[in-house]
Amino acid sequence: ILERMPEDMDAAESVRWLMEVRERKLKTDQADPPLYEQGGIFAMVGSTGVGKTTTTAKLAAMCARIHGPGSVGLITLDTYRVGAHEQLRTYGRMLGIVAHLAHDRAALQDLLGLLSGKKMVLIDTTGVAPRDPRKRDMLDVLDLPYVNRLLVLNAGCHGDTLDDVLTAFKTAGSQQAILSKVDEAVKLGPAIDALIRHQMVLRGVTNGQRVPEDWERADAQKLISTSMRAPTKSAFDPKATDLNFFFSHSPDSVKEGGMADA
């Protein structure tokens, strides 16, 4: 991006230009109806602890608010985590929606047929690590017509972790994501960077545990503006003395010492 920046700009113009370019590169659904108004079948996928169940409840609550509780279907595939089904059932009872449990692909197909008249069907899945052998099995269960996958990403994760998750869960067709726990992220830069590089379409943002209040549409301008601000000084920012140390070594001496290993 910096290589394409016009050279005749002053500092303020350069920053504005940089932000506008990043806003255009971050794909969102801002021009389309919100998920809960659009409807369809959506499966929340991603690593453990990223907020898939809470995100499912938020989308269900907003769809129920507009179209009524009878318009929403809830299914959980999370049979590994203790209490996972009960958690979704609790949210369902609060909303007046029955939450169903599917143990395998055949049961999921039967439930999708049963709920075919619903405006929106939401599937909560088992959280798995990118290299967990169960990941492939879980994604195969969801490989059904009309099932759209929403990759839930924790905004506070390290950039390398986000890149690993995006690479592992990438599938053919439309790549859609939800950015969760934005309120817990010290910096949004790594998450925004990963979304842009993997060409994900951001369908929403969650910024707290309240259902459904802590949900926002994906606003590229707001997210980029936030990512350009660092509210606190990082403990990992290099100090002046560190810079002197880095640049005082030649490449050969760095290799011979312990710098490369560090």
Side-chain angles (χ1 to χ4, degrees):
I1 293 176
L2 293 176
E3 288 176 352
R4 300 188 184 96
M5 180 182 290
E7 296 181 0
D8 58 347
M9 289 182 174
D10 60 26
E13 290 172 335
S14 297
V15 172
R16 282 195 297 270
W17 181 89
L18 177 64
M19 293 179 68
E20 288 170 2
V21 170
R22 294 184 67 206
E23 287 168 19
R24 290 196 298 271
K25 288 186 175 293
L26 179 60
K27 297 181 178 181
T28 70
D29 65 348
Q30 194 70 26
D32 302 319
L35 273 172
Y36 45 88
E37 290 184 8
Q38 174 187 327
I41 304 172
F42 295 95
M44 309 294 154
V45 299
S47 301
T48 56
V50 296
K52 295 185 296 298
T53 303
T54 307
T55 299
T56 300
K58 290 175 183 179
L59 287 170
M62 286 182 288
C63 186
R65 179 183 291 176
I66 297 172
H67 303 286
S71 66
V72 185
L74 288 177
I75 302 173
T76 180
L77 291 175
D78 194 344
T79 57
Y80 291 98
R81 189 163 52 96
V82 175
H85 181 215
E86 188 58 38
Q87 184 182 7
L88 193 64
R89 285 182 60 189
T90 300
Y91 280 129
R93 283 195 295 269
M94 291 166 55
L95 303 171
I97 304 168
V98 176
H100 304 271
L101 175 63
H103 289 280
D104 52 29
R105 181 188 176 99
L108 178 60
Q109 285 179 299
D110 290 343
L111 285 172
L112 290 176
L114 179 69
L115 302 173
S116 60
K118 304 290 185 181
K119 173 74 175 179
M120 191 175 205
V121 178
L122 298 166
I123 306 169
D124 186 24
T125 67
T126 303
V128 289
R131 286 172 295 280
D132 191 320
R134 295 176 298 173
K135 174 180 68 70
R136 184 71 267 159
D137 295 336
M138 187 266 290
L139 293 178
D140 287 343
V141 170
L142 297 173
D143 190 16
L144 295 168
Y146 310 114
V147 175
N148 302 286
R149 300 176 194 175
L150 288 172
L151 179 57
V152 183
L153 297 168
N154 183 347
C157 277
H158 189 280
D160 288 340
T161 302
L162 289 168
D163 188 76
D164 192 33
V165 170
L166 282 160
T167 301
F169 282 90
K170 186 169 285 187
T171 57
S174 176
Q175 306 293 322
Q176 304 180 80
I178 291 173
L179 200 59
S180 69
K181 304 190 178 185
V182 170
D183 56 312
E184 299 178 16
V186 177
K187 293 182 178 180
L188 279 183
I192 300 299
D193 172 76
L195 289 166
I196 291 175
R197 281 188 295 104
H198 286 270
Q199 295 293 287
M200 302 295 288
V201 178
L202 191 59
R203 301 301 309 269
V205 171
T206 72
N207 55 6
Q209 293 296 310
R210 293 180 302 168
V211 176
E213 292 85 354
D214 294 329
W215 169 275
E216 294 180 6
R217 293 292 306 274
D219 185 330
Q221 183 178 19
K222 180 179 179 180
L223 288 167
I224 294 299
S225 177
T226 303
S227 75
M228 296 287 283
R229 295 194 302 268
T232 59
K233 185 174 178 59
S234 173
F236 302 100
D237 287 341
K239 301 177 177 63
T241 53
D242 297 333
L243 294 175
N244 290 333
F245 176 77
F246 295 146
F247 290 108
S248 65
H249 292 73
S250 67
D252 291 336
S253 63
V254 169
K255 290 179 181 177
E256 291 171 2
M259 193 66 184
D261 294 334

